[in-house]
Amino acid sequence: MKKLQAPRGTNDILPDEQKYWRLFEKTSTSLAETFGYSRIDTPVIEDAKLFVRVVGESTDIVEKETYTFKDRGGDFITLRPEGTAPICRAYIQNGMHNLPQPVRLYYYCPVFRYDRPQAGRYREHHQFGVEVLGDSNSTLDAEVIYLAWKLLNDLGISNLIPLVNSVGDKKCRPNYISELKDYFHSSVVDSCPNCPRRLEENPLRLLDCKEKSCLEVISSAPNSIEYLCGECLEHWESLLIDLKNIGVPYVIDNRLVRGLDYYIRTVFEIVPQDSGSQSTISGGGRYDGLIAQLGGPPTPGIGFGMGIERVLLELKKLNHEIDDTKTTKILIAYTDESSKAVGTTVRSQLHRSKITSVLAPSGRSLKSQLRYASSIKASHAVIIGERELENVTVTIRDLKGSEQKEIPQGNLLSYFGKG
RNA sequence: GUGAGCGUGGCCAAGUUGGUUAAGGCGCCAGGUUGUGGCCCUGGAGAUCGAGGGUUCAAAUCCCUUCGCUCACCCCA
């Protein structure tokens, strides 16, 4: 029989790994709550049309990189590949424009992409993100960028600086793109296997080609800021002031573009300095046209998404001690069937007082039971044998030291301070 | 979709000019006397060497196919 294994690009998150995940979850949700964001959970599956409308039908993204299938009723379903579109859908569907604006939301969920896995890229990964809907003021752009940066700081990843850029809006971006095309038409490097095609299909992407021969051409390419219309320029300039006011460091990166057309004006990313290719930890931007595009009222929006696996990769590099929230754990050892029965009632007593305890595995010598206690890092062993049965006592052994004493069964809880 | 590297018990792995029962370490289980752990000692379980086919008297070691993993490209929400 073929060995069963998790599908390509998916991972088990084993018990030893959980402390990192819980740290992230605690840190991120408490930061978001502190800033007045409310949690939202959307379904793992969505109508496939949602993402088609967001990114357009013919791109690689929808054709090759989503998990899309026909369900038993004949509807096309897509496993959510990102957080923003479902939240916009939920905003529209639930009439959230009737809430006080802006609406601040955060999410924490698995997302799916049908990609070949590689370092930092999986078919299932997890994202945390925030979205602010209903206000186009640059203050909120700054707030969102600040949150992404602050979250990483709170986790102890403090050496990262957000990269920011503005890609203009529907009015001014076309001018920029045609300028960019003109520039690359005359200078696109023949030796690059991809840029001639990019020039036709996605000119903005020319700016982040990795080919060495292209770098020089890119460095003197037209700069998007110089093509911003009056309103976009004003938004950009006030963003820089807002960023300063809120106290987040930033670096302007005019080659920064994001893959999707829906981004307007502000785009930003946080990328670790020393890493390989799939390393953007967090990215986001403003998407003022998106909700209208999905059939809702014209509503501005800004947000970021953060890849948790990539964050944890960085976190582990720093080798910080993670507090594993150790509770006292008690192993209940026994020597025969009748003492086992007493052990079972002792366990119930402890559990009622919320004291972590486990019964030793059956059929083992006392020595083996205590070995087991050590291996599961129990803090104490409660030992029940013939003598304890006779005396109606239990023996409590402190496993950090080696003192033990026999106490009346009735004093068990007070021994652990729960009497 | 493209390219490269890799695939030996749960984990880390030695072994590749083909040749007796496929090292070792970690982990797991047991024992080291009479009811007691962590260290140490001894023993045990556990691998048809990813799978299928071929060459050969003989293959984990050579050839072919296939699957899987990893990394990179493409793409990137």
Side-chain angles (χ1 to χ4, degrees):
Chain A
M1 190 169 71
K2 205 179 140 197
K3 276 184 222 159
L4 239 31
Q5 55 180 329
R8 169 179 287 170
T10 66
N11 295 104
D12 297 315
I13 304 171
L14 299 174
D16 280 349
E17 201 54 7
Q18 291 291 340
K19 59 185 175 189
Y20 296 102
W21 289 81
R22 284 199 305 264
L23 175 68
F24 185 92
E25 187 170 10
K26 261 185 359 205
T27 309
S28 58
T29 59
S30 97
L31 178 66
E33 297 276 350
T34 303
F35 274 74
Y37 288 68
S38 303
R39 174 155 180 156
I40 182 167
D41 290 287
T42 63
V44 171
I45 55 174
E46 290 278 355
D47 189 324
K49 288 194 211 75
L50 173 61
F51 303 107
V52 173
R53 283 217 226 163
V54 167
V55 296
E57 203 146 352
S58 61
T59 63
D60 273 11
I61 295 173
V62 162
E63 284 196 341
K64 308 198 305 209
E65 293 169 16
T66 59
Y67 270 95
T68 298
F69 56 92
K70 202 173 184 179
D71 70 11
R72 292 175 197 279
D75 296 319
F76 283 95
I77 295 293
T78 295
L79 262 46
R80 118 184 104 214
E82 59 132 358
T84 303
I87 286 174
C88 290
R89 193 224 79 231
Y91 179 92
I92 298 166
Q93 181 177 339
N94 297 288
M96 294 173 83
H97 60 278
N98 291 310
L99 297 172
Q101 307 290 306
V103 178
R104 289 180 166 87
L105 301 169
Y106 73 90
Y107 61 91
Y108 180 78
C109 65
V111 299
F112 302 85
R113 293 173 194 174
Y114 193 81
D115 262 334
R116 286 285 289 270
Q118 63 189 74
R121 169 191 277 186
Y122 311 97
R123 288 188 170 181
E124 178 191 41
H125 75 281
H126 298 77
Q127 286 197 357
F128 172 85
V130 309
E131 311 290 350
V132 181
L133 301 166
D135 193 327
S136 61
N137 195 281
S138 65
T139 310
L140 294 164
D141 305 45
E143 176 177 303
V144 163
I145 293 168
Y146 175 77
L147 277 174
W149 173 79
K150 180 71 163 60
L151 171 52
L152 295 169
N153 265 268
D154 286 356
L155 288 166
I157 306 171
S158 53
N159 56 337
L160 304 182
I161 298 180
L163 308 175
V164 299
N165 193 21
S166 175
V167 293
D169 63 9
K170 293 230 152 49
K171 286 202 300 287
C172 54
R173 181 160 40 182
N175 301 333
Y176 174 57
I177 288 180
S178 71
E179 204 61 37
L180 207 55
K181 275 184 165 173
D182 287 348
Y183 173 78
F184 278 102
H185 258 305
S186 53
S187 55
V188 80
V189 181
D190 291 333
S191 63
C192 180
N194 301 306
C195 280
R197 183 173 43 76
R198 286 196 182 106
L199 182 57
E200 298 311 318
E201 292 174 3
N202 197 350
L204 284 178
R205 281 281 160 191
L206 288 163
L207 292 171
D208 58 11
C209 183
K210 290 159 193 152
E211 206 67 30
K212 278 187 231 84
S213 50
C214 292
L215 293 178
E216 201 177 326
V217 178
I218 290 167
S219 68
S220 45
N223 180 337
S224 63
I225 301 297
E226 284 162 19
Y227 295 83
L228 295 180
C229 61
E231 287 167 325
C232 286
L233 186 61
E234 197 181 319
H235 188 271
W236 168 247
E237 285 173 343
S238 62
L239 170 64
L240 299 184
I241 294 167
D242 293 329
L243 287 171
K244 197 162 194 181
N245 288 341
I246 201 169
V248 52
Y250 63 87
V251 169
I252 296 171
D253 179 358
N254 292 126
R255 292 171 325 171
L256 172 61
V257 295
R258 308 220 73 220
L260 289 183
D261 282 346
Y262 65 60
Y263 283 114
I264 292 293
R265 296 182 177 167
T266 309
V267 293
F268 70 96
E269 283 186 5
I270 299 178
V271 186
Q273 287 99 339
D274 57 334
S275 51
S277 53
Q278 304 298 329
S279 56
T280 299
I281 282 185
S282 180
R286 180 162 279 288
Y287 47 88
D288 290 354
L290 184 56
I291 288 182
Q293 191 183 327
L294 292 173
T299 308
I302 173 136
F304 73 78
M306 187 176 283
I308 299 171
E309 281 82 352
R310 291 181 185 177
V311 173
L312 299 190
L313 235 45
E314 290 301 309
L315 193 57
K316 287 173 190 169
K317 280 188 205 159
L318 297 176
N319 245 328
H320 286 159
E321 279 294 311
I322 306 262
D323 195 11
D324 211 353
T325 55
K326 299 183 201 86
T327 48
T328 45
K329 197 196 283 180
I330 294 161
L331 187 277
I332 301 166
Y334 50 87
T335 57
D336 59 20
E337 282 306 309
S338 40
S339 55
K340 182 180 184 182
V342 173
T344 305
T345 65
V346 163
R347 180 178 59 173
S348 301
Q349 264 185 294
L350 292 169
H351 286 174
R352 274 195 294 275
S353 298
K354 300 273 190 283
I355 297 171
T356 307
S357 58
V358 296
L359 211 52
S362 304
R364 295 194 184 185
S365 65
L366 187 59
K367 177 202 275 279
S368 166
Q369 295 180 57
L370 287 168
R371 269 186 186 156
Y372 179 79
S374 292
S375 66
I376 66 169
K377 297 186 170 63
S379 60
H380 300 266
V382 171
I383 301 166
I384 303 157
E386 262 180 69
R387 193 175 66 236
E388 288 82 0
L389 282 185
E390 215 167 284
N391 302 341
V392 198
T393 55
V394 294
T395 294
I396 297 179
R397 183 174 179 82
D398 183 338
L399 294 173
K400 280 171 197 132
S402 56
E403 318 80 51
Q404 67 181 46
K405 61 177 165 181
E406 192 173 341
I407 63 170
Q409 271 178 31
N411 293 357
L412 181 66
L413 291 178
S414 61
Y415 180 92
F416 290 111
K418 295 287 176 95

